[in-house]
Amino acid sequence: MSSSNALDGLTQALRKLPGVGAKSAARMAFHLLQHDRPAALQIASALEHAVGSIRHCAMCNTLSEMEICNVCSSGQRDRSKLCVVETPADQHAMERTRAYKGLYFVLMGKLSPLDGIGPRDIGLQKLFDRVVPRDEQGEPLSEDSREVQEVILATNFTAEGEATAHVIGQALKSRGVQVTRLARGVPVGSELEYVDLGTIAHALVDRR
Amino acid sequence: MSSSNALDGLTQALRKLPGVGAKSAARMAFHLLQHDRPAALQIASALEHAVGSIRHCAMCNTLSEMEICNVCSSGQRDRSKLCVVETPADQHAMERTRAYKGLYFVLMGKLSPLDGIGPRDIGLQKLFDRVVPRDEQGEPLSEDSREVQEVILATNFTAEGEATAHVIGQALKSRGVQVTRLARGVPVGSELEYVDLGTIAHALVDRR
């Protein structure tokens, strides 16, 4: 095509999408302009609407259009359980299982000392204040009078996610909170022959 | 995440991008809202600007911000050569080779009888009128007085692209136009062992 600033600008902008390189971005730009201009305008307005209306839930940090998200404000959820995840996408995956009826707390990332990301950056203090609130005298509430009775750590099973889970677990256990971690084991539908050894070893130790 | 209309709307809209399924679209939406809201707004405005400003060149059909694109209006190009391609993206690929200095004609697709796409739908008459213009009496110009002396067929080497090239070639040859086709052969940098047999056979027949 002849050089076009608008086309180049669109291709450059589309490269900011995760997983989209120069070739894919050009393909997307050509496709939209050549075959589907209504979709281009629809994507533009959906982006603007989402950026304008979606913020973080004041209770759990997830993406929400309201001050308090649907899950946190629901009367149908078990408020004694709090599941800690790394991202709204992880929470979305948990919700799709329909196996969990408690509440969530979404971290603002994961601990990563090498990148200078410490407990304060991912909002751990907010989590601790949520799980172990203080009374009017500034003293932590006793175990019986707390709303959250169990914290389920569902950070990723990567080095950083495990480290994050470890730090949270230690801190909460020292405050007398029951802390659990998602089970490690063999994925459903997989054949043992092709499962990595670390996973099999964990599945063996955690056998039930 | 809690169900959010704006988030669902964004995910649905992003699925209209070519090569983007439900999972990728959700990943893009989460990424933009969680980590890069400026990019989301930049993509939105680039889309709107491109749709608003990019149209088809009146001479060659390619995407252009001007009535006549840079290539067609350039004084530096060899106006006796006309390269026929299927899409603006194909023209873009040709231009990047820097090996071609003539003009282009971009078809509005390719012949596909099964989908009901015939010569009229892809603008073949416009191509014929361009290559063999008529004088004031409505008679086709003689070969010597035509601007275009050679038509290079660069449609894709797929069944539909080959059929399109065949139809255009037949029609133009019967009007006394010199018609050539991009050479078929072994791709640069490839090892014969891994090249498909049809390609090797063509490369053998067309050896030079």
Side-chain angles (χ1 to χ4, degrees), chain A residues 1-7 9-10 12-14 16-20 23 26-37 39-56 61-66 69-71 86-89 91-93 95-96 106-108, chain B residues 1-7 9-10 12-14 16-20 23 26-37 39-56 61-66 69-71 86-89 91-93 95-96 106-108:
Chain A
M1 39 110 253
S2 61
S3 72
S4 155
N5 290 333
L7 191 57
L10 176 56
Q12 287 300 321
L14 289 170
K16 304 221 165 178
L17 292 170
V20 174
K23 280 205 167 180
R27 189 165 139 251
M28 288 172 174
F30 280 124
H31 171 83
L32 290 174
L33 290 169
Q34 185 84 337
H35 301 296
D36 205 352
R37 291 182 176 227
L41 295 177
Q42 189 189 339
I43 293 169
S45 87
L47 282 166
E48 281 161 355
H49 178 60
V51 169
S53 66
I54 295 179
R55 48 188 163 167
H56 292 278
N61 290 331
T62 200
L63 298 172
S64 167
E65 283 175 79
M66 287 158 295
C69 75
N70 291 344
V71 174
E86 286 180 22
T87 65
Q91 185 199 354
H92 188 51
E95 280 294 277
R96 275 183 296 150
V106 180
L107 298 171
M108 305 308 282
Chain B
M1 40 111 251
S2 61
S3 72
S4 156
N5 290 332
L7 190 56
L10 176 56
Q12 287 299 321
L14 289 170
K16 305 221 165 175
L17 292 170
V20 174
K23 279 205 168 184
R27 191 165 138 252
M28 288 173 174
F30 280 126
H31 172 82
L32 291 174
L33 291 170
Q34 185 85 335
H35 301 298
D36 207 351
R37 290 180 176 225
L41 295 177
Q42 189 189 339
I43 293 168
S45 88
L47 282 166
E48 280 162 355
H49 178 60
V51 169
S53 66
I54 295 179
R55 46 188 165 168
H56 291 278
N61 290 331
T62 199
L63 299 173
S64 167
E65 282 174 80
M66 286 158 297
C69 75
N70 290 344
V71 174
E86 286 179 24
T87 65
Q91 185 200 355
H92 188 50
E95 279 294 278
R96 276 183 296 149
V106 180
L107 298 172
M108 306 309 282

Side-chain angles (χ1 to χ4, degrees), chain A:
Chain A
M1 39 110 253
S2 61
S3 72
S4 155
N5 290 333
L7 191 57
D8 289 348
L10 176 56
T11 305
Q12 287 300 321
L14 289 170
R15 288 189 62 175
K16 304 221 165 178
L17 292 170
V20 174
K23 280 205 167 180
S24 303
R27 189 165 139 251
M28 288 172 174
F30 280 124
H31 171 83
L32 290 174
L33 290 169
Q34 185 84 337
H35 301 296
D36 205 352
R37 291 182 176 227
L41 295 177
Q42 189 189 339
I43 293 169
S45 87
L47 282 166
E48 281 161 355
H49 178 60
V51 169
S53 66
I54 295 179
R55 48 188 163 167
H56 292 278
C57 168
M59 277 187 77
C60 75
N61 290 331
T62 200
L63 298 172
S64 167
E65 283 175 79
M66 287 158 295
E67 171 81 8
I68 305 288
C69 75
N70 291 344
V71 174
C72 287
S73 62
S74 165
Q76 310 284 310
R77 314 285 302 207
D78 177 355
R79 307 187 79 83
S80 71
K81 290 190 174 54
L82 191 73
C83 179
V84 177
V85 293
E86 286 180 22
T87 65
D90 295 335
Q91 185 199 354
H92 188 51
M94 287 287 294
E95 280 294 277
R96 275 183 296 150
T97 67
R98 297 177 180 274
Y100 178 68
K101 291 293 168 210
L103 300 184
Y104 292 93
F105 187 89
V106 180
L107 298 171
M108 305 308 282
K110 56 205 162 194
L111 289 176
S112 182
L114 290 179
D115 301 322
I117 299 175
R120 202 166 296 175
D121 301 303
I122 65 173
L124 288 194
Q125 192 56 50
K126 184 177 170 187
L127 170 63
F128 299 155
D129 292 343
R130 166 86 178 274
V131 177
V132 187
R134 289 166 188 275
D135 62 17
E136 288 162 10
Q137 280 75 44
E139 294 296 311
L141 286 188
S142 68
E143 294 179 29
D144 295 343
S145 48
R146 294 173 194 160
E147 186 177 58
V148 177
Q149 293 296 319
E150 178 185 356
V151 170
I152 300 161
L153 298 175
T155 54
N156 289 325
F157 286 79
T158 58
E160 288 152 342
E162 293 277 24
T164 306
H166 179 76
V167 168
I168 297 174
Q170 292 292 315
L172 289 178
K173 279 176 194 158
S174 75
R175 289 166 168 85
V177 181
Q178 187 193 350
V179 180
T180 56
R181 177 92 169 106
L182 286 191
R184 278 173 291 209
V186 179
V188 174
S190 60
E191 298 177 52
L192 272 193
E193 184 180 350
Y194 303 109
V195 173
D196 72 290
L197 300 184
T199 298
I200 295 180
H202 273 296
L204 190 63
V205 171
D206 294 348
R207 68 188 182 278
R208 35 172 288 177

